[in-house]
């Protein structure tokens, strides 16, 4: 069995003006357990970055910390900085609800509300005080088009979201997330509950979305990472090991552990 030197790292950096989001010395603890061990990482604007690594390496923990989803876990403690437009959104006085309008999330399993397709999207906007039906209609149409779902549902907008297929529900959740016009979209294995065709459609949607959004996606699917992402980050045991252009990670990784992982020889 190969032994690797885990102290060795290869991590790409970007010019400041291209950075959409950045973490500095980010640690996440669950009780006594340190699950993220001080990650310094930048995400480039209007690109898709894939986080890969074996089960338990901390991909979800890291991703969830980026828009403070770990706040809801009592034993979780997050230290370090998460810089978005010059603001550390990890500070205790940040309005998390407002921040999530800028940094949105799509979950592993589609989780539409038990409401109509239309109201899944308008719900948050109505709660925020938008009443004009024309404005709401416009939001619904634009977001469903961006999520590549409009043509399939435009005549059924008032049917329950649960009448949709899994892939369609996931695209509805994407439409819901982008309807508030976030800059950054976090996705944790968004295709894991989808069949291959729905997965391909989701990848096409992501390529379309990156014109307007910065996307960070966790995936276990190496083909998906290779096909859909611009940059790939290899996580292992709570550390960022190698981070570079996707083509380099898959064809010419700097570290043996990375190339062994992406070719299925390890992990
Ligand atoms: N809610 C939690 N409470 C306590 N420990 C947790 C919690 N969530 C994750 N952990 C621990 O943090 C570590 C990283 O887990 P995480 O779910 O981030 O890994 P992952 O890379 O997303 O794995 P997978 O590929 O299986 O989804 C693991 O040791 C896990 O047991
Ligand atoms: Mg995970």
């Amino acid at each position: 069995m190969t032994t690797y030197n885990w102290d060795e790292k290869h991590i790409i950096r970007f010019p400041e003006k291209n950075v959409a989001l950045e973490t500095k010395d980010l640690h996440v603890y669950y009780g006594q357990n340190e699950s993220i061990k001080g990650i310094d990482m930048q995400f480039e604007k209007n690109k898709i970055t894939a986080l890969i690594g074996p089960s338990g390496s901390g991909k979800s923990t890291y991703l969830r910390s980026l828009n403070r989803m770990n706040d809801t876990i009592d034993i979780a403690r997050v230290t370090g900085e998460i810089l978005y437009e010059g603001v550390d959104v990890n500070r205790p006085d940040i309005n998390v609800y407002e921040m999530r309008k800028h940094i949105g999330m799509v979950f592993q399993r589609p989780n539409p509300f038990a409401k109509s397709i239309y109201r899944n999207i308008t719900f948050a906007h109505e709660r925020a005080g938008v009443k004009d039906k024309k404005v709401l209609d416009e939001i619904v149409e634009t977001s469903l088009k961006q999520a590549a779902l409009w043509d399939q549902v435009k005549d059924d907008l008032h049917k329950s979201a649960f009448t949709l297929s899994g892939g369609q529900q996931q695209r509805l959740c994407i439409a819901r997330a982008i309807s508030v016009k976030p800059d950054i979209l976090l996705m944790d294995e968004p295709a894991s509950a989808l069949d291959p065709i729905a997965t391909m459609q989701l990848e096409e949607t992501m390529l379309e979305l990156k014109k307007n959004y910065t996307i960070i996606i966790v995936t276990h699917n190496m083909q998906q990472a290779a096909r859909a992402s611009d940059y790939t980050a290899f996580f292992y045991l709570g550390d960022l090991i190698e981070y570079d252009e996707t083509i380099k990670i898959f064809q010419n990784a700097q570290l043996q552990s990375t190339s062994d992982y992406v070719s299925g020889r390890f992990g």
Side-chain angles (χ1 to χ4, degrees):
M1 210 183 112
T2 319
T3 48
Y4 303 106
N5 175 7
W6 295 111
D7 292 333
E8 217 183 319
K9 306 276 160 63
H10 173 76
I11 295 165
I12 195 172
R13 306 286 295 175
F14 303 105
E16 209 56 52
K17 64 176 177 23
N18 297 350
V19 174
L21 188 71
E22 166 166 19
T23 64
K24 287 188 176 167
D25 198 27
L26 197 83
H27 296 255
V28 182
Y29 305 85
Y30 294 110
Q32 298 298 309
N33 205 351
E34 187 181 22
S35 285
I36 293 294
K37 298 174 179 162
I39 290 187
D40 292 291
M41 185 172 187
Q42 299 174 319
F43 297 93
E44 198 178 28
K45 284 180 189 159
N46 296 99
K47 299 288 185 204
I48 300 175
T49 302
L51 312 184
I52 63 168
S55 198
S57 56
K59 305 175 299 291
S60 298
T61 298
Y62 181 75
L63 189 82
R64 291 164 51 84
S65 70
L66 297 178
N67 76 342
R68 300 272 298 264
M69 297 303 285
N70 290 327
D71 283 18
T72 54
I73 301 174
D74 282 343
I75 59 167
R77 190 164 61 86
V78 181
T79 69
E81 290 178 307
I82 302 166
L83 295 171
Y84 169 71
E85 298 196 333
V87 177
D88 177 11
V89 300
N90 198 34
R91 275 181 2 206
D93 61 337
I94 287 291
N95 180 334
V96 172
Y97 179 79
E98 284 300 318
M99 178 270 286
R100 287 189 189 142
K101 291 183 186 168
H102 300 271
I103 309 176
M105 184 168 246
V106 174
F107 295 89
Q108 186 166 1
R109 303 214 155 264
N111 60 344
F113 305 136
K115 297 181 188 300
S116 68
I117 295 166
Y118 185 94
R119 288 215 70 221
N120 259 272
I121 296 172
T122 59
F123 185 67
H125 300 271
E126 286 173 47
R127 254 197 0 188
V130 182
K131 292 200 182 70
D132 188 337
K133 179 150 186 318
K134 266 212 195 115
V135 174
L136 293 170
D137 285 353
E138 174 67 31
I139 292 171
V140 169
E141 183 170 340
T142 312
S143 343
L144 286 172
K145 278 183 174 160
Q146 281 194 320
L149 189 58
W150 174 250
D151 288 338
Q152 293 161 55
V153 302
K154 62 178 188 293
D155 300 320
D156 298 316
L157 292 175
H158 297 285
K159 277 196 187 162
S160 163
F162 296 142
T163 63
L164 298 172
S165 73
Q168 290 173 326
Q169 289 187 19
Q170 193 58 303
R171 287 215 293 288
L172 177 61
C173 294
I174 292 172
R176 186 175 68 191
I178 62 186
S179 74
V180 298
K181 297 197 174 9
D183 285 333
I184 299 166
L185 207 50
L186 311 174
M187 298 182 168
D188 195 349
E189 301 190 55
S192 69
L194 306 185
D195 67 31
I197 291 174
T199 299
M200 289 303 284
Q201 288 168 340
L202 180 73
E203 286 175 24
E204 282 165 25
T205 306
M206 280 170 27
L207 292 178
E208 200 52 41
L209 288 174
K210 79 170 177 175
K211 294 175 187 160
N212 297 306
Y213 305 93
T214 300
I215 298 176
I216 307 172
I217 178 176
V218 171
T219 180
H220 270 288
N221 181 331
M222 291 303 117
Q223 284 80 25
Q224 181 170 60
R227 276 193 305 260
S229 70
D230 301 289
Y231 296 100
T232 296
F234 174 53
F235 278 62
Y236 188 68
L237 293 181
D239 250 332
L240 174 60
I241 306 296
E242 181 158 0
Y243 179 29
D244 211 331
E245 288 167 31
T246 294
I247 190 157
K248 291 193 185 151
I249 295 288
F250 282 89
Q251 293 180 6
N252 188 21
Q254 300 291 303
L255 305 183
Q256 189 64 37
S257 55
T258 310
S259 66
D260 285 357
Y261 180 74
V262 299
S263 61
R265 284 191 292 263
F266 147 78

mmCIF file of all heavy atoms in Angstrom, residues 50-77:
data_model
loop_
_atom_site.group_PDB
_atom_site.id
_atom_site.type_symbol
_atom_site.label_atom_id
_atom_site.label_comp_id
_atom_site.label_asym_id
_atom_site.label_seq_id
_atom_site.Cartn_x
_atom_site.Cartn_y
_atom_site.Cartn_z
ATOM 1 N N ALA A 50 -15.638 21.917 -8.243
ATOM 2 C CA ALA A 50 -16.104 20.650 -7.678
ATOM 3 C C ALA A 50 -15.258 20.293 -6.462
ATOM 4 O O ALA A 50 -14.027 20.407 -6.503
ATOM 5 C CB ALA A 50 -15.999 19.541 -8.726
ATOM 6 N N LEU A 51 -15.918 19.886 -5.372
ATOM 7 C CA LEU A 51 -15.219 19.366 -4.195
ATOM 8 C C LEU A 51 -15.358 17.851 -4.229
ATOM 9 O O LEU A 51 -16.462 17.317 -4.260
ATOM 10 C CB LEU A 51 -15.828 19.906 -2.897
ATOM 11 C CG LEU A 51 -16.089 21.420 -2.786
ATOM 12 C CD1 LEU A 51 -16.605 21.767 -1.382
ATOM 13 C CD2 LEU A 51 -14.841 22.233 -3.097
ATOM 14 N N ILE A 52 -14.201 17.172 -4.243
ATOM 15 C CA ILE A 52 -14.217 15.705 -4.271
ATOM 16 C C ILE A 52 -13.385 15.178 -3.097
ATOM 17 O O ILE A 52 -12.620 15.924 -2.478
ATOM 18 C CB ILE A 52 -13.668 15.143 -5.609
ATOM 19 C CG1 ILE A 52 -12.190 15.530 -5.801
ATOM 20 C CG2 ILE A 52 -14.497 15.635 -6.787
ATOM 21 C CD1 ILE A 52 -11.499 14.775 -6.943
ATOM 22 N N GLY A 53 -13.531 13.891 -2.821
ATOM 23 C CA GLY A 53 -12.775 13.269 -1.740
ATOM 24 C C GLY A 53 -13.578 12.133 -1.142
ATOM 25 O O GLY A 53 -14.797 12.068 -1.319
ATOM 26 N N PRO A 54 -12.906 11.233 -0.418
ATOM 27 C CA PRO A 54 -13.606 10.076 0.139
ATOM 28 C C PRO A 54 -14.684 10.476 1.138
ATOM 29 O O PRO A 54 -14.690 11.594 1.649
ATOM 30 C CB PRO A 54 -12.511 9.274 0.849
ATOM 31 C CG PRO A 54 -11.219 9.896 0.502
ATOM 32 C CD PRO A 54 -11.479 11.240 -0.081
ATOM 33 N N SER A 55 -15.578 9.538 1.412
ATOM 34 C CA SER A 55 -16.626 9.736 2.403
ATOM 35 C C SER A 55 -16.001 10.139 3.743
ATOM 36 O O SER A 55 -15.021 9.533 4.168
ATOM 37 C CB SER A 55 -17.392 8.422 2.531
ATOM 38 O OG SER A 55 -18.604 8.662 3.134
ATOM 39 N N GLY A 56 -16.560 11.155 4.369
ATOM 40 C CA GLY A 56 -16.057 11.594 5.665
ATOM 41 C C GLY A 56 -14.897 12.567 5.583
ATOM 42 O O GLY A 56 -14.346 12.977 6.608
ATOM 43 N N SER A 57 -14.505 12.982 4.371
ATOM 44 C CA SER A 57 -13.365 13.890 4.248
ATOM 45 C C SER A 57 -13.723 15.344 4.572
ATOM 46 O O SER A 57 -12.826 16.185 4.649
ATOM 47 C CB SER A 57 -12.740 13.781 2.850
ATOM 48 O OG SER A 57 -13.695 14.031 1.848
ATOM 49 N N GLY A 58 -15.018 15.631 4.735
ATOM 50 C CA GLY A 58 -15.407 16.971 5.187
ATOM 51 C C GLY A 58 -15.973 17.873 4.107
ATOM 52 O O GLY A 58 -16.181 19.066 4.339
ATOM 53 N N LYS A 59 -16.288 17.302 2.939
ATOM 54 C CA LYS A 59 -16.810 18.116 1.831
ATOM 55 C C LYS A 59 -18.113 18.812 2.207
ATOM 56 O O LYS A 59 -18.258 20.017 2.012
ATOM 57 C CB LYS A 59 -17.040 17.234 0.593
ATOM 58 C CG LYS A 59 -15.826 16.451 0.157
ATOM 59 C CD LYS A 59 -16.146 15.504 -0.988
ATOM 60 C CE LYS A 59 -17.193 14.440 -0.697
ATOM 61 N NZ LYS A 59 -16.780 13.394 0.258
ATOM 62 N N SER A 60 -19.059 18.046 2.749
ATOM 63 C CA SER A 60 -20.357 18.641 3.107
ATOM 64 C C SER A 60 -20.198 19.630 4.251
ATOM 65 O O SER A 60 -20.804 20.708 4.236
ATOM 66 C CB SER A 60 -21.354 17.558 3.522
ATOM 67 O OG SER A 60 -21.594 16.685 2.452
ATOM 68 N N THR A 61 -19.387 19.274 5.213
ATOM 69 C CA THR A 61 -19.161 20.157 6.363
ATOM 70 C C THR A 61 -18.599 21.497 5.898
ATOM 71 O O THR A 61 -19.059 22.567 6.322
ATOM 72 C CB THR A 61 -18.177 19.491 7.347
ATOM 73 O OG1 THR A 61 -18.781 18.289 7.824
ATOM 74 C CG2 THR A 61 -17.851 20.407 8.508
ATOM 75 N N TYR A 62 -17.632 21.436 4.992
ATOM 76 C CA TYR A 62 -17.030 22.665 4.477
ATOM 77 C C TYR A 62 -18.058 23.470 3.675
ATOM 78 O O TYR A 62 -18.244 24.664 3.898
ATOM 79 C CB TYR A 62 -15.816 22.322 3.610
ATOM 80 C CG TYR A 62 -15.119 23.541 3.048
ATOM 81 C CD1 TYR A 62 -14.324 24.344 3.856
ATOM 82 C CD2 TYR A 62 -15.290 23.902 1.717
ATOM 83 C CE1 TYR A 62 -13.695 25.474 3.348
ATOM 84 C CE2 TYR A 62 -14.670 25.036 1.202
ATOM 85 C CZ TYR A 62 -13.876 25.813 2.024
ATOM 86 O OH TYR A 62 -13.274 26.945 1.524
ATOM 87 N N LEU A 63 -18.744 22.781 2.758
ATOM 88 C CA LEU A 63 -19.731 23.470 1.913
ATOM 89 C C LEU A 63 -20.813 24.136 2.762
ATOM 90 O O LEU A 63 -21.173 25.290 2.538
ATOM 91 C CB LEU A 63 -20.367 22.467 0.942
ATOM 92 C CG LEU A 63 -21.257 23.085 -0.133
ATOM 93 C CD1 LEU A 63 -20.406 23.604 -1.285
ATOM 94 C CD2 LEU A 63 -22.273 22.080 -0.670
ATOM 95 N N ARG A 64 -21.330 23.378 3.736
ATOM 96 C CA ARG A 64 -22.412 23.900 4.579
ATOM 97 C C ARG A 64 -21.961 25.090 5.410
ATOM 98 O O ARG A 64 -22.774 25.950 5.758
ATOM 99 C CB ARG A 64 -22.927 22.792 5.515
ATOM 100 C CG ARG A 64 -23.681 21.671 4.810
ATOM 101 C CD ARG A 64 -23.802 20.461 5.725
ATOM 102 N NE ARG A 64 -24.328 20.846 7.027
ATOM 103 C CZ ARG A 64 -25.614 20.981 7.283
ATOM 104 N NH1 ARG A 64 -26.504 20.713 6.356
ATOM 105 N NH2 ARG A 64 -26.019 21.369 8.476
ATOM 106 N N SER A 65 -20.678 25.127 5.735
ATOM 107 C CA SER A 65 -20.213 26.256 6.543
ATOM 108 C C SER A 65 -20.211 27.550 5.727
ATOM 109 O O SER A 65 -20.309 28.635 6.286
ATOM 110 C CB SER A 65 -18.829 25.972 7.125
ATOM 111 O OG SER A 65 -17.864 25.976 6.102
ATOM 112 N N LEU A 66 -20.146 27.422 4.383
ATOM 113 C CA LEU A 66 -20.000 28.615 3.547
ATOM 114 C C LEU A 66 -21.218 29.536 3.610
ATOM 115 O O LEU A 66 -21.098 30.731 3.397
ATOM 116 C CB LEU A 66 -19.691 28.230 2.094
ATOM 117 C CG LEU A 66 -18.372 27.478 1.877
ATOM 118 C CD1 LEU A 66 -18.203 27.111 0.407
ATOM 119 C CD2 LEU A 66 -17.167 28.284 2.352
ATOM 120 N N ASN A 67 -22.406 28.972 3.848
ATOM 121 C CA ASN A 67 -23.540 29.874 4.087
ATOM 122 C C ASN A 67 -24.190 29.620 5.454
ATOM 123 O O ASN A 67 -25.382 29.801 5.647
ATOM 124 C CB ASN A 67 -24.565 29.856 2.948
ATOM 125 C CG ASN A 67 -25.451 28.637 2.941
ATOM 126 O OD1 ASN A 67 -25.122 27.623 3.560
ATOM 127 N ND2 ASN A 67 -26.575 28.717 2.256
ATOM 128 N N ARG A 68 -23.343 29.176 6.374
ATOM 129 C CA ARG A 68 -23.704 29.084 7.796
ATOM 130 C C ARG A 68 -24.798 28.042 8.073
ATOM 131 O O ARG A 68 -25.555 28.187 9.029
ATOM 132 C CB ARG A 68 -24.152 30.467 8.298
ATOM 133 C CG ARG A 68 -23.092 31.570 8.170
ATOM 134 C CD ARG A 68 -22.187 31.630 9.385
ATOM 135 N NE ARG A 68 -22.914 31.940 10.591
ATOM 136 C CZ ARG A 68 -23.037 33.167 11.125
ATOM 137 N NH1 ARG A 68 -22.424 34.186 10.545
ATOM 138 N NH2 ARG A 68 -23.699 33.354 12.232
ATOM 139 N N MET A 69 -24.856 26.983 7.254
ATOM 140 C CA MET A 69 -25.845 25.950 7.530
ATOM 141 C C MET A 69 -25.479 25.156 8.779
ATOM 142 O O MET A 69 -26.331 24.489 9.369
ATOM 143 C CB MET A 69 -25.994 24.990 6.339
ATOM 144 C CG MET A 69 -26.504 25.619 5.070
ATOM 145 S SD MET A 69 -28.092 26.442 5.244
ATOM 146 C CE MET A 69 -29.171 25.038 5.323
ATOM 147 N N ASN A 70 -24.203 25.207 9.177
ATOM 148 C CA ASN A 70 -23.811 24.498 10.400
ATOM 149 C C ASN A 70 -24.308 25.201 11.669
ATOM 150 O O ASN A 70 -24.245 24.642 12.754
ATOM 151 C CB ASN A 70 -22.295 24.324 10.462
ATOM 152 C CG ASN A 70 -21.794 23.328 9.424
ATOM 153 O OD1 ASN A 70 -22.491 22.365 9.101
ATOM 154 N ND2 ASN A 70 -20.624 23.554 8.882
ATOM 155 N N ASP A 71 -24.819 26.429 11.511
ATOM 156 C CA ASP A 71 -25.384 27.149 12.667
ATOM 157 C C ASP A 71 -26.463 26.342 13.381
ATOM 158 O O ASP A 71 -26.651 26.473 14.585
ATOM 159 C CB ASP A 71 -26.038 28.463 12.217
ATOM 160 C CG ASP A 71 -25.020 29.560 11.922
ATOM 161 O OD1 ASP A 71 -23.829 29.226 11.731
ATOM 162 O OD2 ASP A 71 -25.419 30.739 11.885
ATOM 163 N N THR A 72 -27.187 25.535 12.590
ATOM 164 C CA THR A 72 -28.327 24.814 13.171
ATOM 165 C C THR A 72 -27.887 23.553 13.924
ATOM 166 O O THR A 72 -28.702 22.908 14.567
ATOM 167 C CB THR A 72 -29.317 24.382 12.069
ATOM 168 O OG1 THR A 72 -28.571 23.645 11.084
ATOM 169 C CG2 THR A 72 -29.967 25.586 11.414
ATOM 170 N N ILE A 73 -26.597 23.196 13.792
ATOM 171 C CA ILE A 73 -26.106 22.004 14.503
ATOM 172 C C ILE A 73 -25.484 22.458 15.823
ATOM 173 O O ILE A 73 -24.463 23.146 15.834
ATOM 174 C CB ILE A 73 -25.069 21.244 13.647
ATOM 175 C CG1 ILE A 73 -25.712 20.829 12.309
ATOM 176 C CG2 ILE A 73 -24.539 20.025 14.398
ATOM 177 C CD1 ILE A 73 -24.745 20.208 11.322
ATOM 178 N N ASP A 74 -26.122 22.068 16.924
ATOM 179 C CA ASP A 74 -25.725 22.580 18.240
ATOM 180 C C ASP A 74 -24.255 22.384 18.557
ATOM 181 O O ASP A 74 -23.600 23.289 19.068
ATOM 182 C CB ASP A 74 -26.556 21.893 19.337
ATOM 183 C CG ASP A 74 -27.953 22.496 19.415
ATOM 184 O OD1 ASP A 74 -28.124 23.610 18.860
ATOM 185 O OD2 ASP A 74 -28.847 21.854 19.988
ATOM 186 N N ILE A 75 -23.726 21.182 18.237
ATOM 187 C CA ILE A 75 -22.356 20.894 18.654
ATOM 188 C C ILE A 75 -21.322 21.436 17.678
ATOM 189 O O ILE A 75 -20.123 21.337 17.924
ATOM 190 C CB ILE A 75 -22.118 19.373 18.853
ATOM 191 C CG1 ILE A 75 -22.393 18.611 17.550
ATOM 192 C CG2 ILE A 75 -22.978 18.830 19.987
ATOM 193 C CD1 ILE A 75 -21.871 17.180 17.581
ATOM 194 N N ALA A 76 -21.781 22.022 16.551
ATOM 195 C CA ALA A 76 -20.815 22.509 15.548
ATOM 196 C C ALA A 76 -20.281 23.890 15.926
ATOM 197 O O ALA A 76 -20.998 24.757 16.400
ATOM 198 C CB ALA A 76 -21.474 22.559 14.180
ATOM 199 N N ARG A 77 -18.962 24.068 15.737
ATOM 200 C CA ARG A 77 -18.326 25.363 15.974
ATOM 201 C C ARG A 77 -17.430 25.656 14.779
ATOM 202 O O ARG A 77 -16.625 24.826 14.375
ATOM 203 C CB ARG A 77 -17.494 25.295 17.261
ATOM 204 C CG ARG A 77 -16.974 26.638 17.765
ATOM 205 C CD ARG A 77 -16.534 26.484 19.230
ATOM 206 N NE ARG A 77 -15.445 25.511 19.367
ATOM 207 C CZ ARG A 77 -14.140 25.815 19.216
ATOM 208 N NH1 ARG A 77 -13.772 27.043 18.939
ATOM 209 N NH2 ARG A 77 -13.215 24.882 19.370
#
